[in-house]
Amino acid sequence: MTPVELSRTVLRAVRRAVDDGELDVDVPVRVRVGPPGPGGCGDYATGIALQLARPAGQPPYRVAEVLRARLTGARGIADVVLSGPGFLNISLHRTAPAELVAEVLRRGPRYGHLDPEGEEGERRRVRLHCEHHPRALVVADAAARILRSQGALARVSCTAPPAPEWTAVLGVRVDSEGPVPDEPAVQVRPVPAPGDPLPLGRDAGRWALLHPAAHDRPRIGDEHLVQRESNPLFRVRYTHARTRALARNAADLGFAAEPGPVEHPDAHGIHALLADHPRVLAAAAAHHAPDRLARHLVTVADAVLPFLPAVLPRGGEKPSAAHRARLALAEAAGTVLAGGLALLGIDAPDHL
């Protein structure tokens, strides 16, 4: 179940409670769900009960109890736990691994993205305002990309226009320049880079600025350019390129990916990371923290790389259903890596 599907499920629960006379409120247009907050649990949480409590004339916790009764047992929902004044913490049933892989391959690089709901004027608007230095602009740019992947209308402003070379090399652009805007804005203030990232080029330069958390000082050096395992960016891009090479090699052998059961010690961990990808995107958007996505991609790559030698037939083996299922899992992982890098503004080459 995607966050959009869960939002619609919660909305149906509100509508049924209104129809049954337990809540006397206007049914909202949509329900916002996101990562659980402090004290929460499960996969997603929503504060819809707090939103409806005043118009319903009931305490938020009582509204949450009404909605919990209608959500418990709904398709795709494993458990609903109440926390705080009335937050609904929702745990989802785990998708069968083969279905998960099929979903990733079907959605492609947009796996984990939310389809915008409503007209443009109704969508959530977020303005990111950043300081005038390369790291702030790159972080704001990547955060805006991730927000847009979650259905928001994101705009970036800066205290001054980006230097032309920052735009040319790092690909940063802003929608407006000047002082802090009058409208509410998220202040993007990462620790500035200690050196000039431009000699690293676009991909390595952006990675160097995005991979550390905003409060950490990034390292700007040639370590981001070396093609060896000590370089996290290289591991991510190399793993993606390997998955693409496996697809080409499989085609030469006359078979293609087909999701199915995968018997391999690494398969469970890879499936768990793929299933977690939508949550990571939602959290990165909610906290305006592209570093969360960057670190997730490294974790995915490190889990997938040891699995790849088992994908193709060996020796005199003939391609089987097991090989097709392993190839599908590898391709799904490569898809997640490519989609994540794209949101960070970094290329994912098929050959490396």
Side-chain angles (χ1 to χ4, degrees):
M1 178 182 288
T2 67
V4 169
E5 292 170 335
L6 177 59
S7 174
R8 292 168 182 165
T9 298
V10 177
L11 191 60
R12 286 194 293 270
V14 174
R15 189 172 291 114
R16 288 200 304 273
V18 170
D19 292 343
D20 293 344
E22 289 203 67
L23 293 178
D24 183 13
V25 296
D26 293 330
V27 179
V29 176
R30 60 183 178 273
V31 173
R32 186 171 298 170
V33 299
C41 60
D43 298 298
Y44 293 98
T46 177
I48 185 63
L50 283 72
Q51 176 184 333
L52 297 178
R54 183 181 294 274
Q58 300 186 42
Y61 204 87
R62 171 57 188 157
V63 175
E65 289 178 325
V66 170
L67 298 179
R68 178 189 179 190
R70 285 163 173 77
L71 288 170
T72 301
R75 185 183 65 83
I77 293 180
D79 193 20
V80 182
V81 176
L82 305 187
S83 67
F87 290 103
L88 292 153
N89 299 273
I90 302 169
S91 298
L92 305 180
H93 283 299
R94 298 301 170 214
T95 305
E99 295 177 8
L100 170 66
V101 170
E103 174 69 7
V104 176
L105 296 178
R106 183 182 70 81
R107 293 293 303 272
R110 289 183 57 81
Y111 169 65
H113 292 212
L114 302 189
D115 295 324
E117 291 188 41
E119 299 297 329
E120 182 170 307
E122 300 175 355
R123 291 165 57 190
R124 183 166 65 102
R125 295 175 178 270
V126 181
R127 177 173 290 279
L128 303 168
H129 187 74
C130 66
E131 299 171 332
H132 190 252
H133 59 83
R135 191 183 187 201
L137 283 156
V138 169
V139 170
D141 177 77
R145 292 167 184 256
I146 297 170
L147 280 162
R148 292 175 194 128
S149 81
Q150 301 303 292
L153 283 169
R155 299 289 183 267
V156 176
S157 61
C158 184
T159 55
E165 59 270 25
W166 298 353
T167 299
V169 177
L170 298 174
V172 293
R173 293 175 176 80
V174 298
D175 299 293
S176 60
E177 309 97 16
V180 178
D182 294 334
E183 62 184 289
V186 176
Q187 299 298 314
V188 179
R189 293 173 176 169
V191 174
D196 184 5
L198 299 187
L200 296 176
R202 174 164 178 156
D203 293 334
R206 288 181 70 98
W207 180 268
L209 300 174
L210 293 172
H211 183 239
H215 57 267
D216 291 332
R217 187 174 299 277
R219 292 186 300 173
I220 306 297
D222 291 344
E223 66 268 23
H224 298 292
L225 297 173
V226 297
Q227 296 199 21
R228 54 173 177 257
E229 291 187 1
S230 61
N231 179 1
L233 174 60
F234 171 73
R235 297 204 304 274
V236 172
R237 300 174 87 193
Y238 176 69
T239 302
H240 167 263
R242 282 285 307 278
T243 66
R244 302 305 304 142
L246 287 172
R248 295 191 297 270
N249 294 338
D252 292 339
L253 294 173
F255 75 99
E258 183 177 325
V262 177
E263 298 294 334
H264 190 278
D266 296 328
H268 177 75
I270 298 171
H271 283 126
L273 289 169
L274 299 186
D276 200 38
H277 186 64
R279 185 199 63 79
V280 171
L281 291 184
H287 296 279
H288 317 112
D291 59 284
R292 294 188 178 209
L293 174 57
R295 291 194 297 273
H296 174 66
L297 297 181
V298 175
T299 303
V300 172
D302 289 346
V304 171
L305 196 55
F307 166 75
L308 298 183
V311 171
L312 296 180
R314 297 180 179 181
E317 279 187 302
K318 293 185 178 180
S320 65
H323 295 110
R324 291 191 288 272
R326 292 174 194 164
L327 178 62
L329 179 56
E331 288 191 13
T335 297
V336 164
L337 294 176
L341 286 172
L343 288 176
L344 298 178
I346 296 172
D347 185 38
D350 287 354
H351 301 83
L352 195 63

